[in-house]
Amino acid sequence: MASLKKILSFYCRFTPSYSAIGYNSRRLLWRRPKASFSGQTWLVTGGSEGIGAAAAKAAVKGGARVICVARDAQKLQAFAESVGVPGRIACEVADFSLRDQVWALLARLEGQGLKFDVVVDNVGIQKRDQILTGEGLETSFATNILSHYLLVRELLRGGMLTDRSIVIEVSSGGMYNHPLVVKDLNITGDGYLGVRAYGLSKRAQVVLTRHWRETYAGTGRDFYVMQPGWVDTASVGRSMPRFRAILRPVLRNHRQGADTIVWLASERPRQADVESIWFDRKERGVHIYAHTPKSPDTAGDLVALLEQYSQQPTAPVVLA
């Protein structure tokens, strides 16, 4: 009975806001964004489908050239062809659960002399069962936070971000349930719970964005983290089938999920707090439960862990 009450309380509290109901009610008060991206170059990870593809499509519509990254070459090519604007979407294949493939992607981007105005760090994964990558890391940790850190760090070090560039991390409302627990980010073995691994990695994205904002304050570059609400993505269908079955009629579509990404890229709003998350075009707090701000772990602790796991491979990086 207590469990049922908890479930009902959860859906009653969050469905009106995180579903399409919340999006459609809020957008009545929004102005149409300028969404003029002419001359810009975007990098979108997880760009073959879902929220990433919707953001890439909007960028192309606004005049940008977009480099879409995903692990499935056929899905990437099919998406690029579906946009119908030849030459405006370039495809790069990389599996963000593998550090070697992220390093290889970075080498290719640098070799092309690319500089990015907007980076959308969208790639993410949620697994119910524990799965280790070919490099021995927990998949959510490797995909959702370690690869994000590695990508942005090396784009900054390599001079591949323009002077007025922005980076947008795509987190999740699932992070609200979890404090930052650095020691459990790469948890394997007993005690693993897929939904917790996902939530911890999404909380880490929020804290990492704070690190970037503090480190590069005053440089002209900016860093945002957003959450898209409850979106009907393939990943949700695979990892949370019961949730999707219950809420599918009111889940957001991909364009609605990507809306705040496109708005942030267009408007580049001032952020009042160093650690915030953007949702439906508004800056929001990063804690809604009393226990999550109490973590003793800091952004410095998180970065130290990510540095530990982000070593460059010893084998030569292949450019092609």
Side-chain angles (χ1 to χ4, degrees):
M1 187 66 181
S3 178
L4 178 60
K5 185 177 179 181
K6 185 177 180 180
I7 292 171
L8 289 174
S9 174
F10 170 83
Y11 285 119
C12 289
R13 179 176 182 179
F14 294 110
T15 301
S17 180
Y18 286 7
S19 70
I21 298 169
Y23 176 86
N24 287 324
S25 62
R26 293 187 184 107
R27 75 183 181 94
L28 296 173
L29 303 176
W30 295 343
R31 292 180 300 173
R32 184 182 295 272
K34 298 187 294 289
S36 176
F37 307 122
S38 181
Q40 293 186 8
T41 302
W42 286 39
L43 178 66
V44 179
T45 68
S48 64
E49 61 182 4
I51 295 168
K57 186 177 292 187
V60 168
K61 185 178 180 180
R65 177 174 182 252
V66 182
I67 313 300
C68 282
V69 184
R71 61 184 177 179
D72 189 316
Q74 290 184 330
K75 284 185 179 180
L76 271 173
Q77 190 59 42
F79 168 67
E81 292 173 359
S82 74
V83 173
V85 187
R88 296 280 285 283
I89 289 186
C91 302
E92 287 286 348
V93 177
D95 183 342
F96 266 57
S97 72
L98 299 171
R99 290 165 294 181
D100 281 5
Q101 292 205 20
V102 179
W103 279 110
L105 168 68
L106 285 159
R108 294 196 302 271
L109 297 176
E110 185 175 25
Q112 295 171 47
L114 292 169
K115 293 177 77 75
F116 298 103
D117 300 283
V118 179
V119 176
V120 181
D121 237 341
N122 165 71
V123 65
I125 196 167
Q126 179 176 350
K127 295 290 187 182
R128 285 181 293 176
D129 301 320
Q130 180 175 256
I131 298 176
L132 300 185
T133 71
E135 297 171 336
L137 301 178
E138 194 277 317
T139 303
S140 295
F141 167 67
T143 307
N144 298 352
I145 184 63
L146 179 60
S147 65
H148 289 221
Y149 173 75
L150 177 57
L151 178 72
V152 175
R153 187 193 72 182
E154 293 305 307
L155 290 175
L156 286 161
R157 287 181 177 178
M160 288 185 275
L161 297 181
T162 62
D163 292 341
R164 299 289 297 172
S165 60
I166 67 169
V167 176
I168 302 170
E169 283 282 337
V170 180
S171 185
S172 164
M175 68 93 188
Y176 277 118
N177 295 310
H178 304 278
L180 179 67
V181 185
V182 169
K183 68 179 180 62
D184 287 351
L185 281 170
N186 187 36
I187 191 169
T188 58
D190 294 339
Y192 177 84
L193 186 63
V195 68
R196 181 169 183 262
Y198 177 80
L200 289 174
S201 68
K202 292 298 176 177
R203 169 64 68 181
Q205 286 181 277
V206 174
V207 178
L208 178 61
T209 303
R210 173 177 185 157
H211 164 75
W212 294 133
R213 290 186 68 85
E214 291 179 326
T215 303
Y216 291 92
T219 65
R221 298 187 175 102
D222 219 335
F223 303 83
Y224 299 98
V225 58
M226 61 80 68
Q227 68 107 341
W230 293 347
V231 184
D232 189 11
T233 64
S235 177
V236 167
R238 289 190 295 266
S239 61
M240 303 171 67
R242 187 174 68 170
F243 172 87
R244 188 191 195 196
I246 294 170
L247 290 174
R248 190 169 188 178
V250 295
L251 292 179
R252 300 180 180 209
N253 62 38
H254 301 158
R255 179 188 56 79
Q256 293 168 339
D259 179 86
T260 295
I261 297 172
V262 179
W263 180 82
L264 286 169
S266 174
E267 303 299 315
R268 306 191 180 207
R270 176 184 173 274
Q271 183 164 303
D273 296 318
V274 69
E275 187 171 293
S276 297
I277 190 165
W278 292 80
F279 172 57
D280 280 350
R281 304 189 184 187
K282 185 177 179 179
E283 183 179 359
R284 317 276 178 168
V286 298
H287 300 286
I288 60 175
Y289 297 117
H291 71 284
T292 60
K294 297 178 181 178
S295 169
D297 293 340
T298 66
D301 297 326
L302 171 62
V303 170
L305 177 80
L306 297 174
E307 280 290 316
Q308 176 186 338
Y309 283 106
S310 60
Q311 310 95 329
Q312 191 163 7
T314 53
V317 171
V318 178
L319 294 176

